[in-house]
Amino acid sequence: AQSVAQPEDQVNVAEGNPLTVKCTYSVSGNPYLFWYVQYPNRGLQFLLKYITGDNLVKGSYGFEAEFNKSQTSFHLKKPSALVSDSALYFCAVRDAGGSNYKLTFGKGTLLTVNP
Amino acid sequence: DTGVSQDPRHKITKRGQNVTFRCDPISEHNRLYWYRQTLGQGPEFLTYFQNEAQLEKSRLLSDRFSAERPKGSFSTLEIQRTEQGDSAMYLCASSSDRNEQFFGPGTRLTVL
């Protein structure tokens, strides 16, 4: 079984400040990890992924995420938040060794960047 | 636009009616997925196709739900005898061998 926890329903930051959106996961094998963003009335937009290699992965719009195997975490970060980053963020996982390609998502974290 | 497309974007129906949704994946993608998203939750996996073969179905997919992907191109999701609990956003995604899935805009179903 695989699962994702996003412990914060909401995160509020001031524009220009760094942001972190937390994610922890559970899989039986090695994880493939993903972050998606969802704007109102829109589908999910892919931000970045960890498959293998460097623990720090960089993605779209200046976002990055750090894979920490010992803490089973994959937190999303950005050095300087923009008001336009305000949206709903989802972390997702799948088992790298599984034949099933389905993603398991967290419940989402609503990020609000205040001007 | 070469992204994933879904039709219709919105569907309002009465309880007991049948509905069908369509998904057109990115053309070179051989894998296609259906998810369901309710308010305040992340997407939940429903079913997965590799080419035309349906390889997995979630236990969320009751016998009132059926999905097809003829010829390995577009896919349809049909819900028979709709219930109010079926009201949700139905999301389609596709992928190649690069692992990340690309999502369509979704079909919002409201069952009255």
Side-chain angles (χ1 to χ4, degrees):
Chain A
Q2 53 195 41
S3 65
V4 171
Q6 293 182 241
E8 301 156 319
D9 291 337
Q10 293 188 54
V11 170
N12 295 297
V13 298
E15 187 174 29
N17 282 1
L19 70 87
T20 298
V21 182
K22 295 179 180 178
C23 170
T24 58
Y25 67 89
S26 174
V27 291
S28 54
N30 290 320
Y32 287 170
L33 293 154
F34 305 84
W35 276 101
Y36 286 85
V37 59
Q38 188 173 37
Y39 296 98
N41 300 313
R42 301 273 297 274
L44 278 74
Q45 203 171 322
F46 170 73
L47 277 180
L48 52 78
K49 67 181 178 183
Y50 171 82
I51 301 298
T52 187
D54 289 343
N55 290 341
L56 184 65
V57 293
K58 296 185 182 298
S60 308
Y61 312 118
F63 284 93
E64 58 189 28
E66 186 167 12
F67 170 62
N68 187 317
K69 188 172 183 178
S70 63
Q71 296 186 3
T72 62
S73 66
F74 189 58
H75 301 330
L76 182 69
K77 300 181 181 183
K78 187 173 183 181
S80 178
L82 300 173
V83 172
S84 57
D85 293 330
S86 299
L88 190 55
Y89 290 80
F90 290 96
C91 181
V93 68
R94 79 167 181 89
D95 189 332
S99 58
N100 187 335
Y101 286 71
K102 73 176 185 182
L103 296 179
T104 297
F105 287 84
K107 291 186 176 182
T109 298
L110 182 63
L111 172 67
T112 301
V113 181
N114 302 302
Chain B
D1 187 349
T2 57
V4 178
S5 61
Q6 292 186 245
D7 184 69
R9 294 290 303 275
H10 303 274
K11 179 70 177 179
I12 299 174
T13 191
K14 293 182 179 179
R15 188 175 52 188
Q17 297 296 304
N18 299 344
V19 294
T20 300
F21 310 141
R22 176 178 171 127
C23 171
D24 286 90
I26 294 171
S27 59
E28 61 268 27
H29 285 179
N30 60 339
R31 299 188 180 100
L32 186 147
Y33 315 78
W34 286 97
Y35 293 84
R36 181 171 67 188
Q37 185 179 20
T38 54
L39 195 63
Q41 301 295 321
E44 295 176 294
F45 170 79
L46 292 178
T47 191
Y48 155 58
F49 290 85
Q50 183 163 327
N51 300 312
E52 66 275 10
Q54 188 174 17
L55 297 185
E56 181 158 346
K57 293 170 59 174
S58 165
R59 57 185 171 81
L60 293 175
L61 215 65
S62 76
D63 56 7
R64 296 186 297 107
F65 288 70
S66 62
E68 294 182 339
R69 193 183 182 198
K71 302 179 183 178
S73 56
F74 71 93
S75 175
T76 58
L77 177 68
E78 181 183 15
I79 309 174
Q80 295 181 329
R81 306 181 303 280
T82 52
E83 302 173 355
Q84 287 185 327
D86 297 331
S87 295
M89 177 76 86
Y90 289 84
L91 296 168
C92 176
S94 68
S95 73
S96 62
D97 293 333
R98 291 185 60 191
N99 294 300
E100 64 265 34
Q101 296 176 20
F102 294 89
F103 283 79
T107 295
R108 183 170 295 283
L109 173 66
T110 302
V111 182
L112 301 176

